[in-house]
């Protein structure tokens, strides 16, 4: 992984320029966040829960070997790594829960992750859900992150919707997962994938982007410019 945040990694699934991954069939990982009108989850809790949901999908036995989701996960990881976050409530959420997938809960947030689907092959009960309008706030500032556990650091200079930020946190978690050896992956999985999502001050962000830790560079499909550094994945095993 390059230390230069301005230089895309060759054949990275997150590089802005076209590459070999663009020639492969394109898949997307659907994530649905539950947002009830009366009790929306805090933003940080939703981001952390979405990141853990991605890890739960990657670490699930159905995603490996000859598992029922393994081919879809392989095809998705061979192409661009796209994630789309949609929102649901009430009957919409109940319909989403009836589809094959995994619901991951945070402090109050609930996110359901589904096996990857073709870009134009969404199940109808997910395709009809809204993407825009996923705006969440933190009632109180998050406490300082425990640096003995993984931290996904978000770019303080980018203004992203909650849905976009959830997808980017998921990208960061996935990059960390890829970089870990089998022992570290097993330890993270056995612990329940603890992690924090935090936004550092600008000086710390600059240091993080040149630290050698995995950096997500967005392809620029939505909201932000291509090549923007969105997340640094800080796992203790990678420091």
């Amino acid at each position: 992984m390059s230390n230069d945040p301005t230089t895309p990694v060759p054949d990275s699934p997150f590089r802005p320029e076209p590459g070999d991954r663009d020639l492969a069939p394109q898949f997307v990982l659907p994530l649905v966040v539950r947002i009830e009108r009366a009790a929306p989850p805090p933003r940080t809790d939703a981001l952390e829960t979405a990141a853990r949901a991605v890890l739960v999908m990657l670490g699930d036995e159905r995603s490996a070997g000859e598992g029922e989701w393994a081919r879809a996960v392989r095809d998705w990881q061979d192409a661009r790594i796209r994630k789309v976050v949609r929102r649901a409530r009430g009957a919409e959420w109940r319909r989403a829960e009836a589809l094959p997938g995994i619901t991951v809960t945070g402090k109050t947030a609930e996110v359901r992750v589904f096996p990857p689907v073709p870009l134009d092959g969404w199940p109808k009960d997910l395709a009809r859900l809204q993407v825009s309008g996923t705006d969440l706030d933190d009632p109180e500032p998050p406490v300082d992150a425990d640096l003995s556990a993984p931290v996904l650091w978000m770019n303080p200079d980018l203004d992203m919707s909650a849905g976009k930020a959830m997808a980017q946190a998921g990208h960061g978690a996935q990059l960390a997962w890829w970089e870990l050896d089998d022992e570290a992956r097993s330890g993270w999985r056995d612990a329940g994938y603890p992690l924090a999502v935090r936004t550092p001050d600008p000086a710390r962000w600059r240091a993080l982007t040149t630290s050698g830790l995995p950096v997500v560079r967005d392809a620029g499909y939505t909201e932000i410019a291509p090549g923007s550094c969105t997340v640094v994945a800080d796992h203790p095993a990678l420091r």
Side-chain angles (χ1 to χ4, degrees):
M1 184 88 37
S2 168
N3 289 349
D4 182 355
T6 65
T7 303
V9 179
D11 198 32
S12 166
F14 305 110
R15 66 184 303 210
E17 294 87 353
D20 290 343
R21 290 176 178 271
D22 295 278
L23 303 177
Q26 299 296 303
F27 286 74
V28 61
L29 186 79
L31 297 127
V32 175
V33 56
R34 183 178 186 180
I35 302 181
E36 301 290 348
R37 279 198 184 96
R43 180 182 174 100
T44 295
D45 189 20
L47 267 59
E48 293 173 348
T49 306
R52 287 177 48 236
V54 172
L55 294 167
V56 167
M57 174 58 68
L58 292 172
D60 193 280
E61 60 183 11
R62 289 167 288 185
S63 300
E66 300 301 317
E68 61 183 293
W69 299 338
R71 180 171 181 177
V73 171
R74 284 195 299 270
D75 288 345
W76 169 60
Q77 293 193 105
D78 285 344
R80 290 282 187 173
I81 304 299
R82 301 189 190 201
K83 302 177 181 73
V84 172
V85 178
R86 296 176 184 259
R87 57 187 171 90
R89 64 173 179 262
E92 296 172 331
W93 176 256
R94 291 191 291 274
R95 286 193 293 268
E97 280 202 304
L99 297 174
I102 307 169
T103 296
V104 177
T105 58
K107 296 180 179 69
T108 62
E110 294 180 72
V111 175
R112 188 162 179 85
V113 60
F114 303 86
V117 297
L119 279 178
D120 58 355
W122 283 68
K124 64 179 182 179
D125 282 333
L126 299 184
R128 61 171 59 130
L129 296 176
Q130 295 282 337
V131 178
S132 61
T134 311
D135 296 320
L136 300 170
D137 296 311
D138 282 314
E140 298 178 1
V143 299
D144 290 344
D146 176 3
L147 299 184
S148 67
V151 184
L152 303 174
W153 299 102
M154 309 294 291
N155 188 332
D157 298 321
L158 294 179
D159 183 17
M160 294 184 281
S161 68
K164 177 71 172 181
M166 289 169 69
Q168 296 302 309
H171 292 338
Q174 188 166 4
L175 282 187
W177 180 258
W178 284 347
E179 292 285 321
L180 296 174
D181 60 27
D182 288 343
E183 181 179 359
R185 286 183 182 180
S186 295
W188 202 6
R189 179 172 53 239
D190 293 346
Y193 303 109
L195 58 82
V197 175
R198 295 292 186 271
T199 301
D201 62 55
R204 186 170 194 175
W205 172 253
R206 288 191 294 272
L208 286 163
T209 59
T210 57
S211 66
L213 292 167
V215 178
V216 177
R217 298 170 179 82
D218 192 64
Y221 295 118
T222 60
E223 294 195 23
I224 57 178
S228 300
C229 299
T230 57
V231 183
V232 174
D234 182 7
H235 190 291
L238 301 178
R239 294 173 188 155

